[in-house]
Each structure stands twice: as structure tokens, then as C-alpha cells.
Amino acid sequence: MRLGLLRTGDWRGIALMALGLAAFQTVLDDGNVYNWFASPFIVELSLVAAVALGAFVIIEFRAPQPLVDFRLLGRRNFGLGTLGNFLLGFALYGSAYLLPQYLAVAQGFTRSRSAR
């Protein structure tokens, strides 16, 4: 175990990422409870998330040993593969969410009717 490597860690990046993702997750989880952007709490958390995640990206581009190396996305194969995986995940998640809504509203299926 080389504990001396802890000194070279990207601690600012880790802290900003943790803060930004925690604030963003709270906005997504509790936004509906607090009536989304009508609540000052959700607005403030959204600003914290945007500033923290924006600063995280800037710091990661400048750090000598970044936590997340965003420069890898500039490589054609890796960048296009990542974009393709993102779009596939978006399409799969979107269809899994929209298909039951469509069947309930447009086709008149209900939970009890589809369970038979």
C-alpha cells in the first residue's frame, strides 16, 4: 500500500463532483415534492449543482492527474462509442417509460386489464 499517493489525488475534483451530484440527485428526487422551480430550495440546489459540476469539468481539464479524463472523449472511437451508448440508453429508458403511458392513454389498457 502506497499511502503517499493520496497526496497527489484530485481532491478538489472529488469534492466538487460529490457536491454537484448530490445536489443534482436531490433536485431530481425532491423536485416533485417541492413543486420544482417554484421552490427556492430546488432553485438554490439547481444553482449549486450547475456551478459545482461546471467547476468540476473545468478543474478536470486543468488537473495534471484528473479524476475523470474528459480528454479521452476527443478520441474518435471512444467519443463516438460513448455517445452511441448514451443514445441507446436514452432510447431504451425512454421507451420503457413511454410505452406504458401510451398503452394506458391511447389504447385504454389499465393495470388490471393487462394483468389477465
Side-chain angles (χ1 to χ4, degrees), residues 26-116:
T26 305
V27 167
L28 293 178
D29 284 344
D30 295 340
N32 195 27
V33 174
Y34 292 106
N35 198 15
W36 292 104
F37 291 107
S39 166
F41 174 67
I42 297 298
V43 171
E44 290 170 6
L45 276 181
S46 299
L47 291 174
V48 168
V51 169
L53 291 175
F56 168 70
V57 170
I58 291 169
I59 284 177
E60 294 307 298
F61 275 115
R62 294 182 179 179
Q65 293 180 338
L67 175 68
V68 178
D69 193 2
F70 289 117
R71 290 182 199 101
L72 292 174
L73 294 172
R75 295 184 180 180
R76 188 184 69 184
N77 286 341
F78 185 74
L80 289 176
T82 302
L83 178 65
N85 281 330
F86 174 77
L87 293 176
L88 176 67
F90 188 77
L92 290 173
Y93 182 73
S95 66
Y97 176 76
L98 290 176
L99 184 61
Q101 295 291 329
Y102 166 74
L103 291 175
V105 174
Q107 299 298 321
F109 289 142
T110 62
R111 180 180 287 188
S112 63
R113 218 174 137 189
S114 61
R116 288 184 200 167

